[in-house]
Amino acid sequence: MVVGALVTSACAAAPHVATTTDDVAAVRETWTRAVNAKRIDPMLATYAIDAVILPITGSRIVSAVAIKNLYERIWNRFTPHVELTSHVVERSGDLAYDSGEYIETVVAETAALNIAGNYVFVYRHQPEGWRIVEQIWTEATGAPDGGPRTP
């Protein structure tokens, strides 16, 4: 009886973050919807101010401002549609990651390009919630089958 009371007391006193991996997955879904709708503010709200993107090609993009500039340039020329398939979401303390595969169709006027590969999103829990702090993209060899997907 005393042991049970001590365990209960210790558990009640221990700090507990009520966040689950579902909260991290919700950020990924918000990011995906915003990118597919070309909505800059909701997309940017998923990033930490010091976020970094490691793109398939090119240089490291550092900061929310640089990320905003990147997406504005892309969206002025192209209309993307990305589908993410998560394989694992893990969390430890204030850090979490989501790793999976993506298929993206990029449309420019009458042409479409399919790109597929892998992604890793690293998240950090901040006072306002989970935010993306690192995004890593790779490209798989060859385009996915089936032609352009309908956004």
Side-chain angles (χ1 to χ4, degrees):
M1 186 74 135
V2 172
V3 171
L6 289 174
V7 168
T8 302
S9 175
C11 289
H16 175 68
V17 178
T19 314
T20 67
T21 55
D22 289 343
D23 298 321
V24 172
V27 175
R28 178 190 64 239
E29 293 305 314
T30 298
W31 178 90
T32 304
R33 282 191 309 274
V35 166
N36 288 337
K38 295 171 76 169
R39 298 195 59 224
I40 198 79
D41 291 334
M43 189 262 317
L44 280 177
T46 64
Y47 288 98
I49 193 104
D50 59 344
V52 174
I53 294 179
L54 303 175
I56 297 168
T57 60
S59 299
R60 169 185 295 259
I61 291 108
V62 180
S63 84
V65 172
I67 292 167
K68 178 181 181 181
N69 292 337
L70 170 71
Y71 277 94
E72 285 176 339
R73 284 193 319 269
I74 292 169
W75 291 348
N76 283 333
R77 297 181 57 208
F78 306 103
T79 298
H81 180 79
V82 66
E83 297 174 20
L84 302 178
T85 302
S86 178
H87 290 288
V88 63
V89 177
E90 292 283 339
R91 176 184 168 264
S92 180
D94 286 344
L95 292 176
Y97 73 91
D98 172 18
S99 176
E101 297 174 322
Y102 72 91
I103 296 173
E104 183 175 19
T105 300
V106 181
V107 178
E109 299 195 20
T110 60
L113 172 66
N114 290 326
I115 306 166
N118 299 292
Y119 72 86
V120 175
F121 288 12
V122 179
Y123 303 86
R124 181 175 58 226
H125 193 262
Q126 300 182 161
E128 62 275 7
W130 289 96
R131 295 295 182 262
I132 300 166
V133 291
E134 293 265 345
Q135 247 179 356
I136 305 161
W137 300 95
T138 67
E139 186 174 6
T141 305
D145 294 331
R149 296 182 182 271
T150 304

